[in-house]
C-alpha cells in the first residue's frame, strides 16, 4: 500500500476519525474528491485505489496515448501534487475487500479497517471475459488499464503485427484505428453486420466501417471466435465461427465491460445491472453512494434506470455524488454524452440511446463526405444527436433535446436553417 500524503495531515482519515472514503481510482473518484474539496469539505478524505496509479482517465489509452502522441499528463485529471496539497490520502495498489454499511467500515486487502461517515463506490467496470478456447494463450489480451495500454503500445508501435480484434464496439474500433495507423495488419470480428449498429444504427455505423476499410482494416462480419489457436503456449491464429483462419500474433478481446459490483453485492446493496442508485446517486444503504460506470442511476427525464459507461458521466456523476455526500440537493439529470476519435473521424453524441430504437433518423449534411449531424426524432422531438467532423454544436443539440420542443424534420435536415431556429 502506498500513500500520496501523510496520514497525520488534518484532512486525512485515520482509524479514529471517520471521514469521506472513495473506493476506486478512476475519473469518477478524482472528480468526486475534487468536488468535495471545492464544495468546502475539509474533513478526512481517502481514496482507495487498487491500481498502482493515482486516479487517471481512460479515453487516451486507446487513442493518443496508445499512438504515442500523448504522454502521461493526458491521463491525469488532477496532477499528482493536487492530492497532498488538498490533504487527500490516496491508497494506491490497495483493494477494498469488504464494505459494512452497518458498522460504517471498509476493510482493505491488508486486513486494516477504515471507518467512514460517508462512502462512495466508484469501482468502475472491467472487461467482459468470454471463455473462448485458447483465451489463456500468450498474446491474448483484454484492454482497460494504463498497464494494458503501455504493454500494447510496446508491441504495436513496431508495426507489422497481425492483430485480430474480437469485438467491434467503440473500444475495439478505436484500438483498431490506432493499431492500423501504427502500421499493423488489423482484422475485426463483430456480431453485427455493421460495427456500432447497436448504438447508432447500420447507416451511421457504415460511415465508421467505410473509413476503417479505406485505411486497410479488415472485417469478418458477423462472426466471433470459435477458437484462438497457438503453438507452445503462444497465439498463432484465430479460427472464426464462419470457418476462416486468421493469422494472429496479437488478439484483443474487446467484448464490452461488466460493472465491478462485488463489494456492493456482498454488502447487500440493491444490484440491478450495476449498483442501483437514485437520481441523487444514493444506494439502498444509508451513507453509501455510487457513481460512474458501476452505477445504474434513475434518470429524471426518462424515468428509467440507465448505466452509462462514458467519460462525461464519470465527471457529471462524480460531481453529483460528492454534493449528495455533503447533504446538498443534487440530481444527475445531464443529457448523456460521449465521444470517439477514429482515424480522421471525430464524433460527439448526446442523448438518450434507449429512446432511439423507434426514432426516425434525420441527417443534416453529407454522410459520404463524413461531415454531418444525425438526429434521432421520436414523436416529433429530438431525443439524441451526433455530430461527425462538425464542431461546436453540442450545446445546441443538447438544448434541442432538453427543450423537448416539436421539430420540423425538413428544417432539421437542411444545413441552411440554423439549428437555433428549428
Ligand atoms: C480504452 C478506453 C477508452 C475509452 N474511451 C472513451 C471515450 O473516448 N469516450 C468516452 O466517453 N468514454 C470512453 N471510455 C469510457 C470511460 O473511460 C469510462 O466511462 C470511465 O473510465 C469510467 O470511470 P470510473 O471512474 O467510473 O471507472 P473506472 O475508470 O473503471 O475506474 C474504477 C477504478 O476502481 C478500481 N477498483 C475497482 N474495484 C475496486 C476495489 N474493490 N478497491 C479499490 N479499487 C477498485 C478499478 O480497478 C479502477 O481503477 C473509455 C474506456 C476505455 C477503457
Amino acid at each position: 500500500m502506498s500513500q500520496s500524503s501523510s496520514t497525520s495531515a488534518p484532512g486525512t482519515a485515520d482509524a479514529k476519525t471517520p471521514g469521506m472514503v472513495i473506493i476506486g481510482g478512476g475519473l469518477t473518484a478524482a472528480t468526486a474528491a475534487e468536488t468535495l474539496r471545492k464544495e468546502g469539505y475539509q474533513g478526512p478524505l481517502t481514496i482507495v485505489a487498487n491500481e498502482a496509479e493515482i486516479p487517471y482517465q481512460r479515453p487516451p489509452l486507446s487513442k493518443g496515448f496508445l499512438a504515442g502522441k500523448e504522454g502521461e499528463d493526458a491521463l491525469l485529471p488532477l496532477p499528482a501534487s493536487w492530492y497532498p496539497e488538498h490533504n487527500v490520502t490516496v491508497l494506491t495498489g490497495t483493494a477494498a475487500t469488504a464494505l459494512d454499511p452497518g458498522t460504517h467500515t471498509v476493510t482493505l486487502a491488508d486486513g486494516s479497517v477504515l471507518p467512514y461517515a460517508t462512502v462512495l463506490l466508484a469501482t468502475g467496470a472491467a472487461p467482459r471475459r468470454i471463455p473462448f478456447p485458447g483465451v489463456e494463450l500468450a498474446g491474448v489480451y483484454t484492454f482497460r488499464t494504463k498497464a494494458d495500454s503501455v504493454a500494447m503500445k510496446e508491441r504495436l508501435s513496431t508495426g507489422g503485427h497481425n492483430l485480430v480484434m474480437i469485438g467491434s464496439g467503440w473500444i475495439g474500433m478505436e484500438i483498431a484505428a490506432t493499431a492500423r495507423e501504427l502500421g499493423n495488419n488489423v482484422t475485426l470480428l463483430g456480431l453485427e453486420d455493421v460495427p456500432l449498429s447497436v448504438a447508432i444504427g447500420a447507416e451511421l455505423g457504415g460511415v465508421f466501417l467505410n473509413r476503417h476499410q479505406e485505411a486497410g482494416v479488415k472485417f469478418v462480419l458477423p462472426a466471433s471466435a470459435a477458437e484462438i489457436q497457438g503453438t507452445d503456449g503462444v497465439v498463432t491464429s484465430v479460427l472464426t465461427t464462419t470457418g476462416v483462419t486468421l493469422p494472429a500474433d496479437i488478439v484483443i478481446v474487446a467484448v464490452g465491460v461488466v460493472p465491478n459490483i462485488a463489494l456492493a453485492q456482498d454488502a447487500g446493496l440493491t444490484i440491478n445491472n450495476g449498483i442501483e442508485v437514485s437520481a441523487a446517486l444514493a444506494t439502498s444503504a444509508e451513507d453509501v453512494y455510487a457513481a460512474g460506470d458501476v452505477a445504474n442511476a434513475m434518470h429524471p427525464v426518462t424515468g428509467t434506470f440507465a448505466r452509462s459507461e462514458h467519460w462525461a458521466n464519470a465527471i457529471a456523476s462524480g460531481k453529483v455524488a460528492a454534493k449528495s455526500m455533503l447533504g446538498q440537493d443534487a440530481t444527475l439529470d445531464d443529457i448523456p454524452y460521449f465521444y470517439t476519435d477514429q482515424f480522421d473521424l471525430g464524433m460527439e453524441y448526446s442523448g438518450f440511446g434507449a429512446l432511439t430504437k423507434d426514432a426516425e433518423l434525420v441527417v443534416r449534411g453529407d454522410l459520404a463526405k463524413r461531415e454531418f449531424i444525425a438526429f434521432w426524432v421520436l414523436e416529433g422531438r429530438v431525443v439524441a444527436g451526433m455530430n461527425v467532423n462538425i464542431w461546436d454544436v453540442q450545446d445546441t443539440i443538447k438544448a434541442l433535446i432538453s427543450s423537448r420542443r416539436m421539430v420540423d424534420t425538413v428544417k432539421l435536415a437542411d444545413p441552411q436553417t440554423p439549428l437555433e431556429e428549428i
Side-chain angles (χ1 to χ4, degrees), residues 8 26 46 57 60 84 125 133 186 189 217 265 304 327 335 345 381 395 412:
S8 60
T46 303
Q57 58 181 352
V186 183
L189 312 183
V217 176
Q265 195 160 33
T304 55
I335 295 173
L345 286 178
R381 297 182 171 91
D395 286 350
L412 198 59

Side-chain angles (χ1 to χ4, degrees), residues 334-352:
D334 290 44
I335 295 173
Y337 165 93
F338 71 96
Y339 67 92
T340 186
D341 294 308
Q342 298 170 31
F343 299 108
D344 53 4
L345 286 178
M347 177 277 248
E348 295 177 286
Y349 176 108
S350 57
F352 299 100

Side-chain angles (χ1 to χ4, degrees), residues 23-29 48-51 56-63 94-97 122-126 143-145 171 174-175 260 263 291-294 308-312 314 337-341:
I23 303 176
L27 181 58
T28 306
V48 182
N50 65 4
E51 289 186 57
Y56 67 92
Q57 58 181 352
R58 299 179 198 275
L61 297 180
S62 50
K63 313 178 189 70
T94 304
T97 52
T123 48
F143 195 102
R144 178 78 185 175
T145 65
I171 302 290
E174 287 182 358
I175 300 169
N260 290 322
L263 265 188
D293 277 16
V294 78
S308 170
E309 295 168 355
H310 295 298
W311 172 89
Y337 165 93
F338 71 96
Y339 67 92
T340 186
D341 294 308

Side-chain angles (χ1 to χ4, degrees), residues 42 67 78 135 141 163 165 190 209 227 243 289 301 330 364 389-390:
Q42 292 181 344
L78 298 168
V135 78
Y141 305 84
L163 164 62
M165 179 74 65
L209 172 64
E227 187 184 357
Y289 294 80
V301 172
R364 154 187 287 241
N389 289 348
I390 290 180

Side-chain angles (χ1 to χ4, degrees), residues 236-277:
T236 53
S237 57
V238 174
L239 172 66
T240 71
T241 48
T242 50
V244 181
T245 300
L246 302 164
D249 62 330
I250 301 176
V251 174
I252 301 179
V253 182
V255 290
V257 296
V258 288
N260 290 322
I261 55 165
L263 265 188
Q265 195 160 33
D266 293 348
L269 273 55
T270 302
I271 303 296
N272 159 23
N273 176 31
I275 305 172
E276 185 177 298
V277 288

